[in-house]
Amino acid sequence: MTIRVVVADDQELVRSGFAMILDVQEDIEVVAEVGDGAAAVAAVRDLAPDVALLDIRMPVLDGIEACRTISASSSCRTVMLTTFDSDEYVYEALHAGASGFLLKDVRRDDLVHAVRVVAAGDSLLAPSVARRLIEEYTAATARPAAGEVLSAERLEALTARERETLLLLGRGLSNAEIAGALTVSEHTVKSHVGNVLSKLGLRDRIQAVICAYETGLIAAGGPAGSWVSPSGE
């Protein structure tokens, strides 16, 4: 199955560079390159891609609003492109429905891996962006959140083992690492993760990371962990 991708960035060199890397992969096809968020929304509507790479800061319509529109109106998965040092909207973008974040200086192999992971219905978050997420959540206490904040009482729906699983998810551990920490099989971990997402009404593991901090299960400033990836990679 070929993964169809839209690349949206107002910097032509960045846009064309990402497209070139992806288009040479046998299982990936770049179906559109666009320079603003409105064009990205239109391309998703007209071409029905599997994944959209969206720069956070674009003219006409920024990446966050484009992500929100795409997530609400299609099955296309979105990955945000960020420079990290200057972007202050990680928290809002995740609540808008983003399935992951990539730094614009991402390595070639990591870019390809990210598209495949997200196309498979999974999510990912780089450690540096996880730290940014924590910082943004802490700062967000002074302003209305972009989505519903989960109260600690919601965690009462979880068993003790499921709460442990959420804690480890929040720290960015892969399935294999969680299995090692809990001394159980990866199959059991997948079952626990599924139960956590279902009981808390969460879309994916990135929302689980947000939940772990919003409910106070993990204190802001704690370890951000490694790549958040349901595939355990």
Side-chain angles (χ1 to χ4, degrees):
M1 172 181 155
T2 300
I3 301 169
R4 294 162 53 81
V5 179
V6 167
V7 180
D9 195 298
D10 60 338
Q11 297 180 16
E12 183 177 359
L13 288 179
V14 173
R15 185 171 72 239
S16 60
F18 281 2
M20 186 180 303
I21 291 170
L22 295 172
D23 226 12
V24 299
Q25 307 300 315
E26 292 184 358
D27 60 336
I28 298 176
E29 177 189 4
V30 176
V31 296
E33 299 176 45
V34 298
D36 63 70
V41 171
V44 169
R45 181 191 62 229
D46 296 339
L47 301 172
D50 302 296
V51 177
L53 299 182
L54 305 175
D55 183 19
I56 284 187
R57 300 189 177 194
M58 291 187 288
V60 185
L61 187 70
D62 67 37
I64 295 175
E65 289 306 315
C67 174
R68 183 173 289 113
T69 300
I70 290 170
S71 298
S73 61
S74 76
S75 60
C76 179
R77 308 271 290 179
T78 56
V79 177
M80 309 307 294
L81 303 173
T82 172
T83 56
F84 172 63
D85 287 335
S86 61
D87 288 329
E88 302 175 353
Y89 307 109
V90 173
Y91 185 75
E92 286 84 350
L94 291 176
H95 273 293
S99 294
F101 270 81
L102 291 177
L103 304 184
K104 284 193 176 182
D105 61 356
V106 63
R107 296 186 311 158
R108 178 188 304 261
D109 290 346
D110 287 339
L111 171 64
V112 174
H113 169 71
V115 168
R116 289 172 177 155
V117 165
V118 170
D122 296 332
S123 308
L124 56 84
L125 194 62
S128 54
V129 179
R131 286 191 293 271
R132 186 70 179 196
L133 167 62
I134 296 164
E135 292 168 5
E136 281 301 299
Y137 168 66
T138 303
T141 57
R143 62 180 188 272
E148 178 188 0
V149 175
L150 294 168
S151 65
E153 286 72 23
R154 291 287 297 277
L155 298 184
E156 293 177 2
L158 304 180
T159 65
R161 183 47 59 94
E162 289 165 356
R163 187 181 293 239
E164 287 180 295
T165 300
L166 177 59
L167 174 65
L168 297 175
L169 284 174
R171 290 177 176 166
L173 271 65
S174 68
N175 282 353
E177 291 168 332
I178 294 174
L182 299 181
T183 320
V184 297
S185 70
E186 287 190 53
H187 177 77
T188 298
V189 170
K190 289 180 181 179
S191 178
H192 288 328
V193 170
N195 289 340
V196 168
L197 299 182
S198 176
K199 289 183 178 181
L200 298 181
L202 304 175
R203 184 184 67 249
D204 53 37
R205 291 171 72 120
I206 288 184
Q207 286 199 339
V209 174
I210 296 174
C211 173
Y213 285 94
E214 286 186 339
T215 57
L217 187 62
I218 298 178
S226 56
W227 285 89
V228 178
S229 172
S231 61
E233 296 176 297

